Amino acid sequence: MKSKTNLLIMAKVHPQAIIPSTSCYLTSNQETFTIWMKSLVLSGKGCTVFDANGQIVYRVDNYNCKCSNEVYLMDIKGKVLFTVLRKRFKLFRFWEGYRSSDTETVIKKPCFQVRKSMRISRGDSPCEVIVGLDENQSHHYKIQTWNSKSVCKIVDQSGGLVAELKRKKSTYGVDLGSDVLTMVVEPNIDHSLIMGLFVVYCLINCRM
């Protein structure tokens, strides 16, 4: 009965058909996703991500563990796309994301690393992101959280917008609540990577 209730709630979050699909993680178009801060697992912690057609494309299921030290970003079939690990060096904590191939997770070399900014601010913590830890090919992003019109923004080194996260509103402009969000990812950006960064953002701020 509870699983049926979850499906009804999901239909309200994104009213179109809930059908799994396979899609490219990098497109030439701006992509919009709906993030429902609920796990598909009963009483679990995590989130469910829908694309613009109402199809589930990503999921995180932490079961009963909140702010876990090890979290998996999966597709609808349960295939692990990123493994996110919380690590510590002396007094500093940081998070690393390891991309999974078709056969294994490449644990030896992280795809990205996220650290909380040392800057003191109100609300959620801004973060520094390094994507690709090779010094010759690395990209630096920032997760900004002080814009009152957004939950957060991800920007590149020059301040250009990479992705933006906001509360979702209905077609009539009604706020659907703090657990239903819209994420817009700019063209030619790997949105599976952006979802991995979103998972870290939630872990840092104890939202998952």
Side-chain angles (χ1 to χ4, degrees):
M1 179 63 71
K2 289 186 178 180
S3 61
K4 290 183 179 179
T5 302
N6 276 356
L7 288 174
L8 289 173
I9 294 174
M10 286 198 304
K12 292 180 180 179
V13 170
H14 211 306
Q16 301 187 36
I18 304 172
I19 304 172
S21 66
T22 56
S23 61
C24 180
Y25 301 128
L26 184 69
T27 65
S28 59
N29 300 317
Q30 187 183 73
E31 298 287 343
T32 301
F33 300 91
T34 296
I35 303 174
W36 184 42
M37 297 302 296
K38 299 290 183 183
S39 169
L40 292 177
V41 176
L42 183 63
S43 300
K45 308 295 183 181
C47 68
T48 307
V49 183
F50 305 82
D51 66 12
N53 297 317
Q55 300 175 340
I56 298 175
V57 286
Y58 302 110
R59 51 184 279 222
V60 176
D61 300 312
N62 289 344
Y63 302 96
N64 288 324
C65 184
K66 191 174 184 179
C67 298
S68 175
N69 291 328
E70 185 170 342
V71 176
Y72 303 99
L73 174 67
M74 301 175 286
D75 64 14
I76 181 57
K77 297 180 180 179
K79 175 187 174 183
V80 175
L81 304 176
F82 279 96
T83 299
V84 176
L85 303 178
R86 180 166 58 178
K87 298 190 174 183
R88 183 186 296 272
F89 178 72
K90 295 184 178 180
L91 297 177
F92 299 96
R93 291 187 302 172
F94 58 95
W95 287 256
E96 290 183 340
Y98 298 82
R99 188 188 294 273
S100 298
S101 66
D102 290 335
T103 56
E104 61 181 358
T105 300
V106 184
I107 293 294
K108 293 183 179 180
K109 187 175 181 180
C111 175
F112 64 81
Q113 184 181 94
V114 181
R115 299 186 182 189
K116 292 174 66 173
S117 173
M118 298 304 295
R119 169 181 169 180
I120 299 175
S121 63
R122 295 181 179 180
D124 293 344
S125 303
C127 304
E128 304 287 338
V129 180
I130 302 176
V131 178
L133 299 186
D134 185 333
E135 293 183 358
N136 297 321
Q137 298 180 348
S138 63
H139 300 279
H140 292 256
Y141 293 152
K142 287 185 179 180
I143 303 178
Q144 300 177 339
T145 59
W146 50 84
N147 187 337
S148 60
K149 296 181 181 180
S150 305
V151 176
C152 75
K153 288 183 178 180
I154 300 176
V155 298
D156 59 22
Q157 286 177 286
S158 62
L161 184 64
V162 175
E164 185 171 15
L165 185 71
K166 297 181 178 180
R167 286 192 180 190
K168 184 168 184 174
K169 296 183 181 295
S170 71
T171 53
Y172 299 101
V174 178
D175 193 323
L176 296 180
S178 59
D179 61 346
V180 184
L181 308 171
T182 294
M183 176 174 279
V184 178
V185 181
E186 294 302 304
N188 302 312
I189 299 294
D190 181 349
H191 46 78
S192 67
L193 168 65
I194 298 302
M195 290 300 165
L197 299 181
F198 169 73
V199 169
V200 176
Y201 167 78
C202 290
L203 292 172
I204 289 175
N205 295 292
C206 297
R207 296 187 175 184
M208 184 182 297

